[in-house]
Amino acid sequence: MRPLTPDALNPAILNVQYAVRGELAIRAEQLRDKLKDPSNTLPFDKVISSNIGNPQQKGLDQKPITFFRQVAALTEWPALADLAPGVFPPDVVARAKELIQEIGSIGAYSHSQGIPFIRQHVAQFIEERDGFPSDPANIFLTAGASAGVSLLISMLITGPTDGILIPIPQYPLYTATLAQYNGAPIPYYLDEASGWSTSVESIESAVQEAVAKGIKPKALVIINPGNPTGALLDESTQERLVKLCEEHSIVLLADEVYQANLHHRDTHPFTSFKKVVSKLRSPIPLISFHSTSKGVTGECGRRGGYFECTNISEQVLALIYKMVSVGLCPPVSGQIGVDSMVRPPKAGDPSYDLWKQETDATHAVLASRTSIMAERLNALPGVSCVNSPGALYLYPQIIIPPKAQEAARKLGKEPDAFYALQLLDKTGICVVPGSGFGQKAGEWHYRLTCLCPGVEEYVNKLEQFHLDFVATYGA
Amino acid sequence: MRPLTPDALNPAILNVQYAVRGELAIRAEQLRDKLKDPSNTLPFDKVISSNIGNPQQKGLDQKPITFFRQVAALTEWPALADLAPGVFPPDVVARAKELIQEIGSIGAYSHSQGIPFIRQHVAQFIEERDGFPSDPANIFLTAGASAGVSLLISMLITGPTDGILIPIPQYPLYTATLAQYNGAPIPYYLDEASGWSTSVESIESAVQEAVAKGIKPKALVIINPGNPTGALLDESTQERLVKLCEEHSIVLLADEVYQANLHHRDTHPFTSFKKVVSKLRSPIPLISFHSTSKGVTGECGRRGGYFECTNISEQVLALIYKMVSVGLCPPVSGQIGVDSMVRPPKAGDPSYDLWKQETDATHAVLASRTSIMAERLNALPGVSCVNSPGALYLYPQIIIPPKAQEAARKLGKEPDAFYALQLLDKTGICVVPGSGFGQKAGEWHYRLTCLCPGVEEYVNKLEQFHLDFVATYGA
C-alpha cells in the first residue's frame, strides 16, 4: 500500500490559494488557544479577527436582527407559536406560518433552484430596487454567494486557454476557483490614486493582452462595492463596462454582496448592473450575486444567497439547474434568511420599529468606524488609506522599509505577510496581507475589517505597532 | 454580442447526468402545478414523490424529531429560554446554552472544518459505535454528504485516465461528479440474485480491466447500506474489500449515510469500514461519509453531514482544509443538526422518552412498509424485488414486454423511463428508472422510496398500473 500523498492528487488543487483563511488565520487560532493557558506570556489578552468579514463573530459587536432570528426559530419549531403565545410579534407569526405552508418542513429538500415562493420575493425585491422586471425563473438560491460564483466559474472554464478578467486587488475566491478549474486569471488593476476606481481602458488592454497570448476572456468579474477596496462604481462607468462586455461577447459576473453596506448613500449610492443592463437593453449575459452574509444582515453562518441570471437562454438555465440538482438544494434555513432579507418588516408592521432601530445602529457604527480608522491610518508615516464608501473593509497601503523587506525575504515571506505576522504576534490583531488580494509590484497593503468594537483602542494598537515597526526597521 | 450557448460552456458539464432530479422529477412538478387547476382532467388527485429519499417532504409522513427542532429553535433565538420559560425541556435549554457558548452566534462563519466542539462529539459517537479511537482533527463537517463526496472526487481526479470504482446500480451523485471532473467511472456489478451482494472478485476484475485500458483506479466507492439496493455488507466481505484496496493502493470512499436505516438489526447489523480498517490495522486511506438527511433524523433541508479521514496524512488534510476554507464553512444550522444526531438524549434525560417514542415509530413504519411493498411487488407477474434490509428504497426488476420496448425506442426513451413516465402520468407516482442508477444490459428496474403513507393504497396503484401495462403491451 502506497500512502496517499499530495502528488497523487489533482495538481490544480495544489495551486489554489485562499489567504483570508490562510497562514495568518491559522496562526491566530493557535494564539487564541495559547491565551487560554493562564501562564502564557503573550503581549495581548485577546485575538481580534480582522481578517474576515464575519460581523457576528465572537468579540465583534454586530448583533443579529431580532426579526430574522424570530422567523428562523419559528420555522424550526412551528409549535412555538401556540406554546409561547405573545412571545413572537404577530407579523413574525404570520410570516412563519406562510413560509411553513409553502415549504412544508424546513427539514425537507426544497426545489434545487430554491423555494419558488422565496424566489418570487427575491424578484420583487429586485424590481423594487431597480425599477425593471425580474423573473423568479432566472433566480437561483445558493449557499452564500461563494457557492454560486464557484458553480458559474466551473461551467464557464474549459481549460487553461479560458480566462476570466479579475480586478486587482480582488477577493481571492476568484483566483482560488480559477486555479481549481485550471482557468487563466486575466488581471486588471484598480486605481488607488483615484479611490480604487475601475478603468474601462485598463480592462480593454487586459482583454487585448489576453487575446494576444491566446487566452479567451469568457467573463468579467466586477465586485461592487469593492472587496477589499470598498469602492463604488458610478453609473456611467457601469454603462461603459456593459458596452465592453457587449463588444467582446463577455459574460459579466457582478459580485454585489456589499450592496447594503453604504456609508454615504447620498454621495455614493449603489446601482445594480441588472438595472444598467436593463436600462441599456443590452443583450450581455449577466449573473448578479447577493448574500445574507453581509450588509446589516451579517448572517454568514446561515449560508444564504442568490444569483440572478439576465440574458441567459433556457438551455443554459437548464444546465445550471442540472448542476445545482446534483447538490440537491441550498440549506433551507439559508433560503429563509434570504426571504427575511428581501422582505424586511415595513413601516407600520409590529416588528418595524425594532428592525429600523437595529439596522440604523449597525449602518451608523460601520460608517463612523470606517471614517475614524481611515483618518487615523492616513495620519501615520508611510501609510495611506482610501476612506472607502462601502463594504466592510479598508485596504491601507504601507511603505515597508528596505531592511524589513530584507528580513522578510530571509524568512521566505512576502514583506506584507511579514508585517501582518508581526502585527498579529505583537497586538493580537489578525489582518490579511495585500499579497492575498493582489497589488502592483513593489507596493504593499493589508486588508482589515471595520467590525471591531472599541475603535479607539484598536487603532491605538495599530498605530503603536506601526511606529515601533518603523523605528525597528527604519523608514 | 454572441449569446451564451451551451457549446461555449465546459463540455464536461454537458455529460453530467443526475436522474433523481431529472426528467421524471421535472414532469412531476408540472403535474403538481396542473392539479391546482380545478378543471384538470388528470386521473389522480395527488403527485407522490417516490423519486428521492426526502422523508419530511410534503405528503410523506416522517415527522421531525422534536428534540432536534427544539435545539435548533433555541440556538436561533437564545432569548427564548427566558421569554418562554418552561416551554423547552431543561436538557434542551442546557444543550442550546452550551452550543451558543461555544459557537457565539449561529450567524457567524464557523471554523471551515466545522465547529471543533461538535467535531469532538462526532469523534465520541464514532468511538462508541466502533470501539476504536477517532480524532476530531480528522473530521470535516459538511453541507450534507454530497458536498464531501464531490470535494473528494474533485481532489482525486486529475483527468480522463484517473478512474473510480463505482457500484452498478449506484447513487448517481458518483457518476455525475466524475463526469464533471472528467474522470472515468469504473463500473462493478452488484449481484441481484444474491440480494444485491458485493462481489470482491467482480471488483478485482474491474480493476484489471481498467488498468489494461490505461485507467488508474484511484478510489473504490462502497455504498453501505446500499443505494438504490438497500443491501448490507457482512464483515468478512468488508475485510476482503479493505485488503483489495491495500493491494492496489486504492482510497476507499465509504458512503454510510444509511447506517441508521436498518430494518432487521439482529440479522442485518451495520459495521462501519472505520471499524474494519481499525481492527485489521490496515493502512488504507479511508473517507467515511455520514449525513443528517437520512436515518430517523431525515433532516435533508438542513444540509448537515460529516466525513472522517482515516490514514490520511497531515499534508493531505491541510489540502482538504484549504479547499473547504474557500467555501468558508458548512451551514451552522446543519452543524448543530449533526451535533443533535450524534448526541441524542440519553435514558433518564427529560427529552429521552419522546425521542425514543418518535424514533422507534419511524424505524417500525419504515421496516414494515418496506416488507409489505417488497412482498406485494414480488407477487406481480414480471416483477421481482429484493426485500432490502436497509436504507429507504426498493429497486424492483421489471420485465418490459418487447412491444413496450419498441414503443419506448420510437419516443427516444429507455424502456424503463417509458414505464416510469407512464406510471407517473397514470397514477401520479414518481419513481426513478433504473437507467439512472445503472443496470445490466437488457434488464430494467426502477427505484422507489418506502416513505409514502397509506402503503396499501399506494401498492394497489402500482399493481393496477403494472397489470394494465402488461395487458396493453403483452407479457
Side-chain angles (χ1 to χ4, degrees):
Chain A
M1 177 80 219
R2 286 186 308 279
L4 184 66
T5 49
D7 61 305
L9 300 179
N10 179 354
I13 300 297
L14 306 180
N15 297 329
V16 170
Q17 289 192 14
Y18 186 69
V20 173
R21 294 209 152 185
E23 181 188 10
L24 267 291
I26 291 170
R27 181 156 180 78
E29 285 308 317
Q30 291 163 345
L31 291 173
R32 197 168 266 140
D33 280 345
K34 232 182 189 171
L35 278 178
K36 289 181 188 157
D37 175 358
S39 67
N40 83 79
T41 55
L42 294 172
F44 47 83
D45 58 6
K46 58 174 181 281
V47 170
I48 302 172
S49 299
S50 297
N51 56 307
I52 184 161
N54 189 8
Q56 295 184 27
Q57 191 167 15
K58 265 189 183 177
L60 306 184
D61 66 348
Q62 189 168 321
K63 294 275 168 297
I65 296 173
T66 304
F67 174 78
F68 262 73
R69 296 306 190 87
Q70 288 172 333
V71 171
L74 209 41
T75 48
E76 284 285 4
W77 195 28
L80 269 174
D82 295 327
L83 292 172
V87 166
F88 293 88
D91 54 342
V92 168
V93 172
R95 176 69 61 91
K97 200 174 161 187
E98 182 188 46
L99 284 165
I100 289 303
Q101 215 148 35
E102 278 292 325
I103 298 169
S105 165
I106 198 175
Y109 291 128
S110 74
H111 192 298
S112 295
Q113 189 168 349
I115 295 155
F117 184 66
I118 295 180
R119 285 189 279 125
Q120 281 170 21
H121 301 144
V122 173
Q124 282 158 14
F125 160 81
I126 294 171
E127 288 187 0
E128 280 167 32
R129 184 193 64 191
D130 296 340
F132 288 96
S134 170
D135 184 346
N138 294 333
I139 290 162
F140 288 76
L141 303 185
T142 55
S146 303
V149 167
S150 171
L151 171 69
L152 266 293
I153 291 182
S154 78
M155 293 184 69
L156 287 167
I157 295 296
T158 302
T161 59
D162 280 352
I164 295 189
L165 291 146
I166 304 283
I168 300 294
Q170 55 118 17
Y171 176 57
L173 166 66
Y174 294 96
T175 41
T177 311
L178 271 166
Q180 185 183 355
Y181 293 105
N182 275 312
I186 309 173
Y188 66 90
Y189 287 82
L190 305 177
D191 183 36
E192 185 165 8
S194 58
W196 294 115
S197 69
T198 297
S199 147
V200 181
E201 289 70 26
S202 82
I203 299 177
E204 183 65 50
S205 33
V207 168
Q208 304 305 341
E209 270 177 58
V211 170
K213 282 192 228 162
I215 291 168
K216 187 179 161 52
K218 297 191 87 165
L220 166 64
V221 171
I222 301 277
I223 313 176
N224 182 41
N227 177 4
T229 67
L232 263 155
L233 290 177
D234 59 84
E235 221 172 307
S236 71
T237 306
Q238 290 178 279
E239 290 180 5
R240 293 179 59 215
L241 290 167
V242 168
K243 292 288 175 197
L244 179 139
C245 289
E246 220 170 293
E247 192 178 330
H248 297 287
S249 291
I250 286 173
V251 178
L252 181 55
L253 302 176
D255 177 340
E256 299 176 335
V257 301
Y258 296 98
Q259 62 186 271
N261 288 113
L262 305 176
H263 308 324
H264 319 288
R265 272 162 207 277
D266 41 350
T267 54
H268 290 79
F270 166 77
T271 303
S272 76
F273 269 104
K274 170 71 184 307
K275 182 177 175 181
V276 174
V277 166
S278 303
K279 215 175 75 177
L280 296 177
R281 296 186 184 172
S282 167
I284 67 159
L286 164 69
I287 319 280
S288 312
F289 301 91
H290 196 14
S291 163
T292 61
S293 301
K294 313 300 173 185
V296 286
T297 312
E299 293 274 335
C300 302
R302 195 167 297 281
R303 312 314 290 120
Y306 72 80
F307 61 85
E308 185 190 23
C309 302
T310 307
N311 297 324
I312 302 289
S313 68
E314 290 288 333
Q315 276 177 303
V316 174
L317 287 174
L319 286 170
I320 299 176
Y321 174 80
K322 181 180 74 175
M323 295 308 293
V324 297
S325 78
V326 179
L328 296 162
C329 72
V332 176
S333 83
Q335 298 187 54
I336 290 172
V338 170
D339 194 75
S340 294
M341 177 177 76
V342 299
R343 280 205 297 165
K346 289 200 181 93
D349 289 351
S351 296
Y352 180 76
D353 288 347
L354 181 60
W355 175 85
K356 183 82 170 70
Q357 181 192 318
E358 290 174 338
T359 53
D360 282 353
T362 296
H363 279 303
V365 77
L366 282 172
S368 114
R369 212 180 266 158
T370 304
S371 288
I372 293 170
M373 288 168 71
E375 196 180 312
R376 294 276 300 275
L377 284 166
N378 246 325
L380 287 173
V383 178
S384 63
C385 182
V386 172
N387 182 1
S388 65
L392 300 173
Y393 313 104
L394 289 170
Y395 195 59
Q397 181 172 163
I398 42 175
I399 293 174
I400 300 200
K403 270 193 198 160
Q405 294 196 32
E406 208 178 298
R409 303 293 185 201
K410 273 190 191 146
L411 295 169
K413 305 272 178 215
E414 291 289 334
D416 53 4
F418 177 77
Y419 182 96
L421 278 165
Q422 294 222 357
L423 175 65
L424 175 59
D425 283 345
K426 299 213 165 144
T427 65
I429 296 175
C430 181
V431 300
V432 186
S435 40
F437 302 97
Q439 51 203 349
K440 285 188 186 152
E443 289 187 354
W444 310 106
H445 299 78
Y446 64 88
R447 185 188 82 167
L448 78 174
T449 65
C450 305
L451 293 166
C452 184
V455 64
E456 285 296 330
E457 184 200 344
Y458 180 85
V459 185
N460 286 346
K461 283 186 182 182
L462 287 179
E463 270 182 11
Q464 192 54 52
F465 167 76
H466 184 77
L467 296 172
D468 290 350
F469 188 87
V470 172
T472 307
Y473 295 101
Chain B
M1 177 81 219
R2 288 186 308 279
L4 184 66
T5 50
D7 62 305
L9 299 179
N10 180 354
I13 300 298
L14 305 180
N15 297 330
V16 169
Q17 288 192 16
Y18 186 70
V20 174
R21 293 208 153 186
E23 181 188 9
L24 267 293
I26 291 170
R27 180 155 181 79
E29 285 309 317
Q30 291 163 345
L31 291 173
R32 198 168 267 139
D33 280 345
K34 233 181 189 171
L35 278 178
K36 288 180 190 160
D37 175 358
S39 67
N40 82 79
T41 56
L42 294 172
F44 47 83
D45 58 7
K46 58 174 183 280
V47 171
I48 301 172
S49 298
S50 298
N51 56 307
I52 184 161
N54 190 9
Q56 295 183 27
Q57 191 167 15
K58 264 188 184 179
L60 307 184
D61 66 348
Q62 190 169 322
K63 292 277 168 297
I65 297 174
T66 305
F67 173 79
F68 263 72
R69 297 306 190 87
Q70 288 172 333
V71 171
L74 210 41
T75 48
E76 283 285 4
W77 194 29
L80 269 174
D82 295 328
L83 292 171
V87 166
F88 293 88
D91 53 342
V92 168
V93 173
R95 176 69 61 90
K97 200 173 160 188
E98 182 188 47
L99 284 165
I100 289 302
Q101 215 149 35
E102 277 292 325
I103 299 169
S105 165
I106 199 174
Y109 292 128
S110 73
H111 191 298
S112 295
Q113 190 169 346
I115 295 156
F117 184 66
I118 296 180
R119 285 190 279 124
Q120 282 170 21
H121 302 144
V122 173
Q124 283 158 13
F125 161 81
I126 294 170
E127 289 186 1
E128 280 167 32
R129 184 193 64 191
D130 296 341
F132 288 97
S134 170
D135 183 346
N138 294 334
I139 290 161
F140 288 76
L141 304 186
T142 55
S146 303
V149 167
S150 171
L151 171 69
L152 266 294
I153 292 182
S154 77
M155 293 183 70
L156 287 167
I157 295 297
T158 303
T161 59
D162 280 351
I164 295 188
L165 290 147
I166 304 283
I168 299 295
Q170 53 119 18
Y171 176 56
L173 167 65
Y174 294 96
T175 42
T177 311
L178 270 166
Q180 186 183 354
Y181 294 105
N182 274 311
I186 309 172
Y188 66 90
Y189 287 82
L190 305 178
D191 183 36
E192 185 165 8
S194 58
W196 294 115
S197 70
T198 298
S199 146
V200 181
E201 291 69 27
S202 82
I203 299 177
E204 183 66 50
S205 33
V207 169
Q208 305 304 343
E209 268 177 60
V211 170
K213 283 192 228 163
I215 290 168
K216 188 180 162 51
K218 296 191 88 165
L220 166 63
V221 170
I222 301 276
I223 313 176
N224 182 42
N227 177 3
T229 66
L232 263 155
L233 291 176
D234 60 86
E235 222 172 305
S236 72
T237 306
Q238 290 178 281
E239 290 180 5
R240 293 179 59 216
L241 290 167
V242 168
K243 292 286 175 199
L244 179 139
C245 289
E246 220 170 291
E247 192 179 329
H248 298 287
S249 291
I250 285 174
V251 178
L252 181 55
L253 301 176
D255 177 339
E256 299 176 336
V257 301
Y258 296 98
Q259 62 186 270
N261 288 114
L262 305 176
H263 308 323
H264 318 287
R265 272 161 208 277
D266 41 348
T267 53
H268 291 81
F270 166 77
T271 303
S272 77
F273 270 105
K274 170 72 185 305
K275 182 177 175 181
V276 175
V277 166
S278 304
K279 215 175 77 177
L280 297 177
R281 296 186 185 173
S282 168
I284 67 159
L286 164 69
I287 318 279
S288 312
F289 300 90
H290 196 15
S291 162
T292 61
S293 301
K294 312 299 173 187
V296 286
T297 312
E299 293 273 336
C300 302
R302 195 168 298 281
R303 313 313 290 121
Y306 73 80
F307 60 85
E308 184 190 24
C309 301
T310 307
N311 298 323
I312 302 290
S313 68
E314 290 287 332
Q315 278 177 303
V316 173
L317 288 173
L319 286 171
I320 299 176
Y321 174 80
K322 182 179 75 175
M323 295 309 293
V324 296
S325 78
V326 179
L328 295 161
C329 72
V332 175
S333 82
Q335 297 187 53
I336 290 172
V338 171
D339 194 75
S340 294
M341 177 177 77
V342 299
R343 282 204 296 165
K346 290 198 180 95
D349 289 350
S351 298
Y352 180 76
D353 288 346
L354 181 59
W355 175 85
K356 183 83 169 70
Q357 181 192 319
E358 290 174 338
T359 53
D360 282 353
T362 296
H363 279 304
V365 79
L366 281 172
S368 114
R369 211 179 267 157
T370 304
S371 287
I372 294 170
M373 287 167 73
E375 195 179 314
R376 293 275 301 274
L377 284 166
N378 247 325
L380 286 174
V383 178
S384 62
C385 183
V386 172
N387 182 1
S388 66
L392 300 173
Y393 314 104
L394 290 170
Y395 194 59
Q397 182 172 165
I398 42 176
I399 293 174
I400 300 200
K403 270 195 201 160
Q405 294 196 32
E406 206 177 301
R409 303 292 186 202
K410 272 191 193 149
L411 295 169
K413 306 270 176 217
E414 292 289 335
D416 52 5
F418 177 78
Y419 182 95
L421 277 164
Q422 294 222 359
L423 174 65
L424 174 60
D425 283 345
K426 300 216 165 144
T427 65
I429 296 175
C430 181
V431 300
V432 186
S435 40
F437 303 97
Q439 50 203 349
K440 284 187 187 154
E443 290 188 352
W444 310 107
H445 299 78
Y446 63 88
R447 185 188 82 168
L448 78 173
T449 64
C450 304
L451 294 165
C452 185
V455 64
E456 286 294 332
E457 184 200 344
Y458 179 86
V459 185
N460 287 347
K461 284 186 182 183
L462 286 179
E463 271 182 8
Q464 193 54 52
F465 167 77
H466 184 78
L467 296 173
D468 289 350
F469 188 87
V470 172
T472 308
Y473 294 102

